[in-house]
């Protein structure tokens, strides 16, 4: 019924406004600060990043082990 | 003026306000900020393992928190649990429905979950003598595109019915339903503290949610296509679609899938954000899309801070994973490759070539020791 549609429209419109009010109220930090923080994180953790630093063969669980022959 | 009209006016006003607030903090972008940073070294990774066993396209994979086991899901109707070190198959779990789109490993390692066009999320216990179904979580009215465990007791799902849901596994009921997306939800990523998650959808938006209160806290736009992939990093291994369009798409999905043509075909019609991952620190997340680009969004600036694109790249992004420090992004594409991006400078610094078909999933284990790619060629490869 058009009454239902009408009240649905109102409910949706109210919900949309509620959501936008939440989003409009957040504090935003400058992108320069956000970038600096992300860069700092990467910098501090780079040395622990195996894919970035490379993995010595002896510590690489995926490196093919040479076959051993028992004489 | 009627009340609906008043609300619409207020909504427009608020949108303008939000855009202005974003502009006001946009004093630079990440690439410019990182201009002085040394480039990441050219990354050349070798294939260390090719895991053979699936008989059809692989759609999803997920690492266990033990950094060694992983689960993969294929259109052949199986989940396979692999020991990545030995390359051996530990379990092969037959699925009731072979139209699987996602799989997940619980942090404890005891449970895995899968789901797809059956609209359900099925949770399995790996530790019983024979792998058993623990629960079938059945309430979504659309396909299950993604699932992630918070613990052995709770799991988050994203669905083609445009909702995400938090479930109590024991009772099988939804504790919280996340309603806000207008398009099919294609992917989700959980923050490492598990208090928030981001979802990507067919409406080309990414949304940040509070896990506990169900509130959508922030909405991010920027992609010109659906978000297929969303990465919240570290841990893991990321305006309106009318109901009619959605139904058409869903039925197209079913028929495409069943005729064995690409599942991804349904996504190419409707720009999707199909993958999403958090950055390790949780302040940012990366998305990958059908529009052939990836983007990083910072949560505290409430906007995109850098894009990853290349004029020569014109295939959609299907999947994403980040290295442990967040510096490297591994993005799987429709063109059979996985490209490696410097997350801070936005430069492409490597490529993983070796698959004979679309790369559908990627994952880096928590210890960051390798990257796994899964493909429609039915193989998984481990690289480092």
């Amino acid at each position: 019924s058009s009454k239902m549609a009408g009240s649905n429209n109102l409910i949706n419109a109210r919900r949309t406004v509620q959501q936008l009010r939440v989003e409009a109220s957040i504090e935003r930090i400058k992108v320069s600060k956000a970038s600096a923080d992300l860069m700092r994180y990467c910098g501090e953790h780079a040395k622990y990043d195996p894919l970035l630093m490379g993995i010595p063969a002896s510590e690489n669980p995926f490196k093919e082990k040479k076959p051993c022959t028992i004489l | 003026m009627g009340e609906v009209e008043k609300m619409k006016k207020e909504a427009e006003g608020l949108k303008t306000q939000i855009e202005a607030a974003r502009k006001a903090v946009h004093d630079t972008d990440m690439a410019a900020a990182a201009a002085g940073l040394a480039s990441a070294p050219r990354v050349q990774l070798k294939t260390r393992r090719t895991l053979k066993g699936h008989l059809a396209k692989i759609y999803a994979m997920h690492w266990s928190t033990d950094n060694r086991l992983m689960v993969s899901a294929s259109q052949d109707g199986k989940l396979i649990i692999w020991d990545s070190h030995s390359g051996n198959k530990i379990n092969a779990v037959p699925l009731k429905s072979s139209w699987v789109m996602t799989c997940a490993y619980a942090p404890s390692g005891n449970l895995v979950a899968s789901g797809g066009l059956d609209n359900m999320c099925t949770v399995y216990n790996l530790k019983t003598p024979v792998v058993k179904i623990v629960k079938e979580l059945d309430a979504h009215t659309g396909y299950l595109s993604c699932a992630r465990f918070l613990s052995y007791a709770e799991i988050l799902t994203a669905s083609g019915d445009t909702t995400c849901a938090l479930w109590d596994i024991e009772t099988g009921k939804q504790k919280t339903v996340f309603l806000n997306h207008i398009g099919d939800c294609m992917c989700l990523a959980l923050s490492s503290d598990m208090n928030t998650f981001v979802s990507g959808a067919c409406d080309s938006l990414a949304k940040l949610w509070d896990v506990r209160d169900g509130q959508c806290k922030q909405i991010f736009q920027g992609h010109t296509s659906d978000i297929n992939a969303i990465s919240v990093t570290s841990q893991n291994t990321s305006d309106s679609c009318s109901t009619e369009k959605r139904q058409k798409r869903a039925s197209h999905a079913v028929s495409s899938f069943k005729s064995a043509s690409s599942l991804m075909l349904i996504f190419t019609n409707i720009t999707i954000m199909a993958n999403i991952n958090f950055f390790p620190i949780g302040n940012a997340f990366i998305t990958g899309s059908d529009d052939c680009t990836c983007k990083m969004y910072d949560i505290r600036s409430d906007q995109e801070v850098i894009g990853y694109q290349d004029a020569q790249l014109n295939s959609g992004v299907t999947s994403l994973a980040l290295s442990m420090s967040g510096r490297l992004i591994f993005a799987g594409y429709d063109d059979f490759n996985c490209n490696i991006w410097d997350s801070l400078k936005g430069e492409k610094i490597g490529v993983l070539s070796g698959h004979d078909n679309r790369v559908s999933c990627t994952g880096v284990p928590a210890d960051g020791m390798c990257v796994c790619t899964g493909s429609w060629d039915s193989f998984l490869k481990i690289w480092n």
Side-chain angles (χ1 to χ4, degrees):
Chain A
S1 80
S2 71
K3 259 201 185 140
M4 269 294 256
S7 63
N8 275 346
N9 275 345
L10 186 56
I11 290 170
N12 287 340
R14 279 204 191 118
R15 215 178 262 153
T16 303
V17 167
Q18 289 285 55
Q19 179 63 37
L20 286 168
R21 281 181 189 157
V22 165
E23 293 170 46
S25 69
I26 65 168
E27 294 282 321
R28 292 170 178 79
I29 67 166
K30 290 210 187 295
V31 175
S32 53
K33 163 111 177 65
S35 303
D37 288 349
L38 293 170
M39 280 163 50
R40 188 179 332 116
Y41 184 92
C42 284
E44 286 169 358
H45 291 81
K47 56 180 174 286
Y48 306 116
D49 186 338
L51 291 170
L52 192 60
M53 298 280 99
I55 306 168
S58 53
E59 292 167 31
N60 189 347
F62 299 103
K63 188 114 175 98
E64 285 306 329
K65 300 207 180 345
K66 301 238 174 346
C68 295
T69 324
I70 298 173
L71 300 168
Chain B
M1 201 187 283
E3 207 184 332
V4 174
E5 280 310 302
K6 261 197 236 163
M7 302 261 107
K8 281 194 175 154
K9 225 176 170 239
E10 187 178 349
E12 288 313 305
L14 287 165
K15 283 181 190 167
T16 308
Q17 204 183 308
I18 291 168
E19 275 323 298
R22 282 175 175 155
K23 267 216 175 89
V25 296
H26 190 85
D27 56 347
T28 184
D29 64 31
M30 171 73 81
L37 204 60
S39 291
R42 271 211 74 81
V43 179
Q44 280 171 315
L45 306 180
K46 295 203 170 88
T47 305
R48 301 294 178 188
R49 297 279 182 279
T50 297
L51 304 177
K52 305 182 188 194
H54 280 301
L55 304 173
K57 294 173 177 165
I58 291 172
Y59 281 97
M61 63 82 43
H62 195 215
W63 282 98
S64 165
T65 51
D66 74 358
N67 304 312
R68 180 172 179 141
L69 299 182
M70 31 175 271
V71 58
S72 60
S74 161
Q75 206 186 333
D76 66 5
K78 296 231 163 33
L79 294 183
I80 296 182
I81 313 295
W82 308 85
D83 174 342
S84 62
H85 289 187
S86 64
N88 292 337
K89 300 176 207 25
I90 308 296
N91 289 108
V93 182
L95 303 173
K96 279 187 185 174
S97 163
S98 60
W99 313 120
V100 62
M101 292 171 68
T102 186
C103 59
Y105 227 121
S108 61
N110 293 345
L111 308 173
V112 288
S114 69
L117 293 188
D118 58 356
N119 297 1
M120 293 196 308
C121 179
T122 306
V123 179
Y124 305 84
N125 187 338
L126 296 176
K127 301 302 184 182
T128 44
V130 176
V131 174
K132 268 201 180 136
I133 292 178
V134 167
K135 214 73 184 186
E136 285 173 335
L137 306 174
D138 190 2
H140 280 302
T141 54
Y143 55 84
L144 200 83
S145 53
C146 192
R148 284 292 178 259
F149 285 91
L150 276 79
S151 70
Y152 62 85
E154 290 178 313
I155 192 166
L156 256 179
T157 55
S159 169
D161 67 9
T162 77
T163 71
C164 296
L166 175 68
W167 303 76
D168 178 321
I169 295 172
E170 201 192 346
T171 64
K173 298 269 185 285
Q174 292 180 329
K175 290 166 98 158
T176 313
V177 183
F178 304 87
L179 304 162
N180 192 289
H181 275 298
I182 303 165
D184 303 15
C185 293
M186 300 310 306
C187 50
L188 69 91
L190 203 47
S191 65
S192 45
D193 65 9
M194 300 204 178
N195 290 330
T196 57
F197 75 96
V198 279
S199 61
C202 263
D203 48 20
S204 74
L205 303 175
K207 304 201 178 199
L208 176 72
W209 308 85
D210 182 308
V211 172
R212 297 300 153 195
D213 70 17
Q215 174 78 244
C216 171
K217 298 165 76 163
Q218 283 170 254
I219 298 179
F220 303 84
Q221 37 210 12
H223 277 292
T224 53
S225 214
D226 298 344
I227 297 180
N228 291 332
I230 206 161
S231 194
V232 181
T233 44
S234 167
Q235 223 61 350
N236 323 324
T237 18
S238 346
D239 281 296
S240 331
C241 288
S242 68
T243 317
E244 196 198 314
K245 249 199 208 164
R246 233 187 312 126
Q247 279 166 354
K248 276 207 183 122
R249 195 180 321 131
S251 59
H252 184 188
V254 173
S255 56
S256 305
F257 217 149
K258 290 193 169 163
S259 69
S261 40
S262 73
L263 171 66
M264 292 303 176
L265 246 191
I266 61 168
F267 303 154
T268 51
N269 294 339
I270 32 177
T271 23
I272 314 184
M273 220 191 244
N275 219 313
I276 199 164
N277 277 29
F278 265 107
F279 189 82
I281 202 174
N283 291 344
F285 62 90
I286 321 273
T287 58
S289 164
D290 253 10
D291 67 8
C292 312
T293 74
C294 298
K295 291 174 190 285
M296 186 195 292
Y297 294 84
D298 189 282
I299 290 171
R300 296 173 309 158
S301 301
D302 188 40
Q303 59 191 276
E304 176 188 340
V305 295
I306 184 170
Y308 310 95
Q309 60 236 359
D310 187 312
Q312 285 155 346
L313 276 176
N314 45 27
S315 33
V317 179
T318 61
S319 49
L320 279 179
L322 283 120
S323 73
M324 235 179 97
S325 65
R327 187 67 192 265
L328 304 176
I329 298 171
F330 298 93
Y333 290 73
D334 286 347
D335 69 359
F336 308 179
N337 289 330
C338 180
N339 289 312
I340 310 176
W341 296 89
D342 177 332
S343 67
L344 301 178
K345 296 181 78 86
E347 299 164 347
K348 197 175 98 160
I349 55 174
V351 66
L352 305 177
S353 294
H355 283 293
D356 295 324
N357 206 322
R358 173 178 295 182
V359 172
S360 56
C361 49
T362 52
V364 172
D367 67 358
M369 285 295 278
C370 66
V371 53
C372 178
T373 53
S375 166
W376 280 10
D377 67 9
S378 82
F379 302 126
L380 296 141
K381 286 180 185 286
I382 310 266
W383 314 72
N384 71 10

